[in-house]
PDB file of all heavy atoms in Angstrom:
ATOM      1  N   ASP N  34     -13.322   4.655 -39.213  1.00  0.00           N
ATOM      2  CA  ASP N  34     -12.981   6.045 -38.942  1.00  0.00           C
ATOM      3  C   ASP N  34     -14.251   6.855 -38.735  1.00  0.00           C
ATOM      4  O   ASP N  34     -15.282   6.584 -39.366  1.00  0.00           O
ATOM      5  CB  ASP N  34     -12.197   6.643 -40.114  1.00  0.00           C
ATOM      6  CG  ASP N  34     -10.757   6.148 -40.148  1.00  0.00           C
ATOM      7  OD1 ASP N  34     -10.269   5.664 -39.112  1.00  0.00           O
ATOM      8  OD2 ASP N  34     -10.128   6.241 -41.211  1.00  0.00           O
ATOM      9  N   PHE N  35     -14.180   7.823 -37.860  1.00  0.00           N
ATOM     10  CA  PHE N  35     -15.319   8.704 -37.612  1.00  0.00           C
ATOM     11  C   PHE N  35     -14.804  10.061 -37.167  1.00  0.00           C
ATOM     12  O   PHE N  35     -13.654  10.203 -36.765  1.00  0.00           O
ATOM     13  CB  PHE N  35     -16.288   8.106 -36.583  1.00  0.00           C
ATOM     14  CG  PHE N  35     -15.673   7.785 -35.253  1.00  0.00           C
ATOM     15  CD1 PHE N  35     -15.658   8.733 -34.235  1.00  0.00           C
ATOM     16  CD2 PHE N  35     -15.101   6.541 -35.017  1.00  0.00           C
ATOM     17  CE1 PHE N  35     -15.092   8.433 -33.011  1.00  0.00           C
ATOM     18  CE2 PHE N  35     -14.537   6.244 -33.788  1.00  0.00           C
ATOM     19  CZ  PHE N  35     -14.528   7.190 -32.782  1.00  0.00           C
ATOM     20  N   ALA N  36     -15.673  11.037 -37.260  1.00  0.00           N
ATOM     21  CA  ALA N  36     -15.335  12.411 -36.900  1.00  0.00           C
ATOM     22  C   ALA N  36     -16.199  12.866 -35.728  1.00  0.00           C
ATOM     23  O   ALA N  36     -17.128  12.166 -35.318  1.00  0.00           O
ATOM     24  CB  ALA N  36     -15.563  13.320 -38.109  1.00  0.00           C
ATOM     25  N   LEU N  37     -15.896  14.043 -35.213  1.00  0.00           N
ATOM     26  CA  LEU N  37     -16.693  14.588 -34.113  1.00  0.00           C
ATOM     27  C   LEU N  37     -18.171  14.695 -34.490  1.00  0.00           C
ATOM     28  O   LEU N  37     -19.037  14.442 -33.661  1.00  0.00           O
ATOM     29  CB  LEU N  37     -16.155  15.968 -33.704  1.00  0.00           C
ATOM     30  CG  LEU N  37     -14.847  15.984 -32.918  1.00  0.00           C
ATOM     31  CD1 LEU N  37     -14.360  17.415 -32.728  1.00  0.00           C
ATOM     32  CD2 LEU N  37     -14.991  15.297 -31.576  1.00  0.00           C
ATOM     33  N   GLU N  38     -18.433  15.024 -35.743  1.00  0.00           N
ATOM     34  CA  GLU N  38     -19.825  15.140 -36.193  1.00  0.00           C
ATOM     35  C   GLU N  38     -20.556  13.802 -36.087  1.00  0.00           C
ATOM     36  O   GLU N  38     -21.741  13.762 -35.756  1.00  0.00           O
ATOM     37  CB  GLU N  38     -19.882  15.661 -37.636  1.00  0.00           C
ATOM     38  CG  GLU N  38     -19.433  17.099 -37.787  1.00  0.00           C
ATOM     39  CD  GLU N  38     -17.914  17.277 -37.833  1.00  0.00           C
ATOM     40  OE1 GLU N  38     -17.153  16.270 -37.871  1.00  0.00           O
ATOM     41  OE2 GLU N  38     -17.474  18.439 -37.814  1.00  0.00           O
ATOM     42  N   ASP N  39     -19.851  12.702 -36.358  1.00  0.00           N
ATOM     43  CA  ASP N  39     -20.460  11.371 -36.241  1.00  0.00           C
ATOM     44  C   ASP N  39     -20.802  11.056 -34.784  1.00  0.00           C
ATOM     45  O   ASP N  39     -21.844  10.471 -34.494  1.00  0.00           O
ATOM     46  CB  ASP N  39     -19.515  10.297 -36.800  1.00  0.00           C
ATOM     47  CG  ASP N  39     -19.184  10.518 -38.259  1.00  0.00           C
ATOM     48  OD1 ASP N  39     -20.119  10.806 -39.036  1.00  0.00           O
ATOM     49  OD2 ASP N  39     -17.998  10.413 -38.617  1.00  0.00           O
ATOM     50  N   VAL N  40     -19.922  11.436 -33.885  1.00  0.00           N
ATOM     51  CA  VAL N  40     -20.169  11.226 -32.454  1.00  0.00           C
ATOM     52  C   VAL N  40     -21.379  12.048 -32.020  1.00  0.00           C
ATOM     53  O   VAL N  40     -22.260  11.548 -31.313  1.00  0.00           O
ATOM     54  CB  VAL N  40     -18.928  11.584 -31.603  1.00  0.00           C
ATOM     55  CG1 VAL N  40     -19.234  11.443 -30.118  1.00  0.00           C
ATOM     56  CG2 VAL N  40     -17.734  10.713 -31.990  1.00  0.00           C
ATOM     57  N   ALA N  41     -21.428  13.303 -32.463  1.00  0.00           N
ATOM     58  CA  ALA N  41     -22.550  14.175 -32.103  1.00  0.00           C
ATOM     59  C   ALA N  41     -23.863  13.569 -32.588  1.00  0.00           C
ATOM     60  O   ALA N  41     -24.850  13.523 -31.839  1.00  0.00           O
ATOM     61  CB  ALA N  41     -22.350  15.566 -32.709  1.00  0.00           C
ATOM     62  N   LYS N  42     -23.866  13.072 -33.815  1.00  0.00           N
ATOM     63  CA  LYS N  42     -25.085  12.468 -34.369  1.00  0.00           C
ATOM     64  C   LYS N  42     -25.502  11.244 -33.555  1.00  0.00           C
ATOM     65  O   LYS N  42     -26.667  11.083 -33.202  1.00  0.00           O
ATOM     66  CB  LYS N  42     -24.845  12.085 -35.831  1.00  0.00           C
ATOM     67  CG  LYS N  42     -26.061  11.541 -36.529  1.00  0.00           C
ATOM     68  CD  LYS N  42     -25.751  11.237 -37.989  1.00  0.00           C
ATOM     69  CE  LYS N  42     -26.962  10.626 -38.672  1.00  0.00           C
ATOM     70  NZ  LYS N  42     -26.677  10.316 -40.077  1.00  0.00           N
ATOM     71  N   HIS N  43     -24.539  10.393 -33.234  1.00  0.00           N
ATOM     72  CA  HIS N  43     -24.829   9.184 -32.463  1.00  0.00           C
ATOM     73  C   HIS N  43     -25.327   9.531 -31.058  1.00  0.00           C
ATOM     74  O   HIS N  43     -26.223   8.868 -30.526  1.00  0.00           O
ATOM     75  CB  HIS N  43     -23.593   8.287 -32.382  1.00  0.00           C
ATOM     76  CG  HIS N  43     -23.874   6.936 -31.818  1.00  0.00           C
ATOM     77  ND1 HIS N  43     -23.872   6.691 -30.461  1.00  0.00           N
ATOM     78  CD2 HIS N  43     -24.193   5.767 -32.428  1.00  0.00           C
ATOM     79  CE1 HIS N  43     -24.169   5.429 -30.247  1.00  0.00           C
ATOM     80  NE2 HIS N  43     -24.365   4.836 -31.431  1.00  0.00           N
ATOM     81  N   ALA N  44     -24.748  10.567 -30.452  1.00  0.00           N
ATOM     82  CA  ALA N  44     -25.132  10.975 -29.092  1.00  0.00           C
ATOM     83  C   ALA N  44     -26.409  11.819 -29.084  1.00  0.00           C
ATOM     84  O   ALA N  44     -26.906  12.170 -28.015  1.00  0.00           O
ATOM     85  CB  ALA N  44     -23.994  11.756 -28.442  1.00  0.00           C
ATOM     86  N   LYS N  45     -26.881  12.158 -30.273  1.00  0.00           N
ATOM     87  CA  LYS N  45     -28.087  12.993 -30.414  1.00  0.00           C
ATOM     88  C   LYS N  45     -27.893  14.368 -29.757  1.00  0.00           C
ATOM     89  O   LYS N  45     -28.748  14.840 -28.996  1.00  0.00           O
ATOM     90  CB  LYS N  45     -29.323  12.283 -29.880  1.00  0.00           C
ATOM     91  CG  LYS N  45     -29.665  11.028 -30.658  1.00  0.00           C
ATOM     92  CD  LYS N  45     -30.930  10.365 -30.124  1.00  0.00           C
ATOM     93  CE  LYS N  45     -31.349   9.234 -31.020  1.00  0.00           C
ATOM     94  NZ  LYS N  45     -30.847   7.952 -30.734  1.00  0.00           N
ATOM     95  N   ILE N  46     -26.737  14.952 -30.054  1.00  0.00           N
ATOM     96  CA  ILE N  46     -26.457  16.319 -29.618  1.00  0.00           C
ATOM     97  C   ILE N  46     -26.016  17.116 -30.842  1.00  0.00           C
ATOM     98  O   ILE N  46     -25.675  16.541 -31.882  1.00  0.00           O
ATOM     99  CB  ILE N  46     -25.368  16.369 -28.517  1.00  0.00           C
ATOM    100  CG1 ILE N  46     -24.050  15.778 -29.026  1.00  0.00           C
ATOM    101  CG2 ILE N  46     -25.827  15.686 -27.254  1.00  0.00           C
ATOM    102  CD1 ILE N  46     -22.886  15.942 -28.078  1.00  0.00           C
TER     103      ILE N  46
END
Side-chain angles (χ1 to χ4, degrees):
D34 285 341
F35 57 90
L37 286 173
E38 292 81 6
D39 300 315
V40 176
K42 184 178 177 180
H43 190 274
K45 296 182 172 91
I46 60 173

